[in-house]
Amino acid sequence: MLLLAVSAALGQASRPRVSVKTSLSSETVPLNGEVVFSIELSWPGALDAVRLEDPGEPGVNNLMLRGSGASNRIVEDSLAGRRSLKRFDFYFKPRSVGRAHIKPMTLAYRFEGRREVVRTDALFLRISAPREEQRPVFMPGSILLWLLLFLFMAAALFVTVRYVMLRRKHRPRATPGIREKYQRLLLSTIHPENGQDKENRAEILRLLDSFLMESLGQIHIGGMEQRLEMLASVPGDETARARLAKTLQSMGGITEERHIAVQRLFDEVNDFLKDNI
């Protein structure tokens, strides 16, 4: 009996325990601001020791989901050794001044064939009046200041015209902020080589949906058909968009099992997010 008790205790101690931690970027947010709700799951050992199910969207009151993202990383714990972290970030816009509520969530995962769950706590925040945007105040100066400003503008105009006449080339256009942001998220948070194909597919589609919703001002995508319609409405490289649309069509409906290679989907979304317009 003693040996059985010790064996059971050792087996329980070696079993990864998934812990959960939630946080808000701020407990008070202005009506014209944004708040980030983060869920961080951690467990000892490798990333693939625990397979997390899609958490879905949090239930909220007085908030509107604008986008979401996820990331994985490994840390070294001085006491527990190697530890895996999985983070989900949800970006919310307030609806009205007052109180807002993020409801508890149940997050499911599998370890050695067993399905278990962890639960988050409810979070509350206050939505304040809109923050006034600071406008630059123009202070007229002396006659000398006006003269110097005029000379500077004339010199700048001369240099610009001269440069255009000599080079006859357009200055390269800056990368749009939204494309740069989502391409950076794709490259930094999703790693196709980690073997978690199902989770990676879901995260790539979730990131693509967030890009489409933010680009077109939508708050929800109902399925693959709507996703393809929104994709066709966003400016981008025609070849990359056609290639991505063909791959999405071959994946079927949103509830079907997806067998498209993760690296292929990752590369095509990355090509589409590049500034090739």
Side-chain angles (χ1 to χ4, degrees):
M1 291 177 64
L2 179 61
L3 289 175
L4 288 174
V6 171
S7 176
L10 290 175
Q12 183 67 23
S14 65
R15 177 180 178 180
R17 293 179 301 172
V18 174
S19 60
V20 60
K21 181 174 67 175
T22 57
S23 62
L24 290 172
S25 59
S26 176
E27 294 184 355
T28 301
V29 60
L31 184 60
N32 57 346
E34 180 180 84
V35 63
V36 182
F37 169 55
S38 300
I39 303 173
E40 186 174 271
L41 300 159
S42 64
W43 60 89
L47 275 170
D48 56 3
V50 172
R51 292 192 175 274
L52 299 170
E53 297 182 5
D54 188 348
E57 297 178 2
V60 295
N61 288 325
N62 203 21
L63 294 171
M64 178 178 64
L65 183 64
R66 187 190 61 76
S68 62
S71 62
N72 303 316
R73 63 191 178 100
I74 300 292
V75 298
E76 293 296 332
D77 191 323
S78 58
L79 296 178
R82 193 180 188 194
R83 195 166 186 85
S84 298
L85 300 178
K86 178 77 172 186
R87 181 185 175 100
F88 298 95
D89 293 317
F90 300 91
Y91 303 85
F92 289 103
K93 298 281 289 183
R95 290 184 179 273
S96 60
V97 174
R99 300 283 291 178
H101 173 209
I102 300 178
K103 301 177 182 178
M105 295 180 66
T106 299
L107 305 171
Y109 66 91
R110 288 188 176 275
F111 170 69
E112 294 184 351
R114 293 185 300 270
R115 186 178 187 273
E116 300 183 11
V117 298
V118 290
R119 294 176 176 84
T120 66
D121 296 326
L123 294 180
F124 299 87
L125 63 148
R126 186 172 68 88
I127 300 173
S128 60
R131 179 176 53 230
E132 293 186 5
E133 297 182 359
Q134 296 183 349
R135 298 180 179 179
V137 179
F138 181 73
M139 299 292 294
S142 63
I143 296 177
L144 179 60
L145 179 61
W146 282 101
L147 179 60
L148 291 174
L149 180 61
F150 173 78
L151 292 176
F152 172 78
M153 293 179 64
L157 179 62
F158 172 79
V159 171
T160 302
V161 172
R162 183 69 175 170
Y163 174 80
V164 173
M165 292 177 64
L166 291 175
R167 298 299 297 271
R168 297 289 185 181
K169 291 183 179 180
H170 295 290
R171 186 177 59 184
R173 187 170 57 85
T175 303
I178 182 173
R179 288 180 173 271
E180 180 182 356
K181 179 179 75 172
Y182 280 96
Q183 187 184 27
R184 186 170 61 251
L185 276 173
L186 178 73
L187 296 177
S188 63
T189 63
I190 299 175
H191 308 284
E193 69 277 4
N194 64 11
Q196 299 186 42
D197 290 357
K198 185 174 181 180
E199 291 83 353
N200 285 332
R201 290 190 195 96
E203 289 173 10
I204 292 172
L205 288 179
R206 189 183 299 113
L207 186 142
L208 176 62
D209 289 349
S210 297
F211 167 76
L212 294 175
M213 288 188 290
E214 185 172 349
S215 298
L216 300 177
Q218 300 291 327
I219 62 173
H220 179 69
I221 293 181
M224 186 64 74
E225 183 176 353
Q226 186 180 3
R227 181 184 290 123
L228 290 170
E229 291 177 357
M230 294 174 68
L231 178 65
S233 302
V234 177
D237 181 76
E238 292 293 338
T239 303
R241 179 167 56 204
R243 214 167 39 238
L244 177 58
K246 184 178 179 181
T247 297
L248 293 175
Q249 288 173 339
S250 66
M251 293 174 69
I254 196 168
T255 60
E256 296 180 11
E257 184 69 16
R258 307 179 177 106
H259 298 286
I260 294 296
V262 172
Q263 187 65 55
R264 171 185 167 188
L265 182 61
F266 178 93
D267 292 340
E268 291 180 354
V269 172
N270 183 40
D271 289 343
F272 175 72
L273 290 176
K274 291 179 181 176
D275 182 27
N276 295 325
I277 302 176

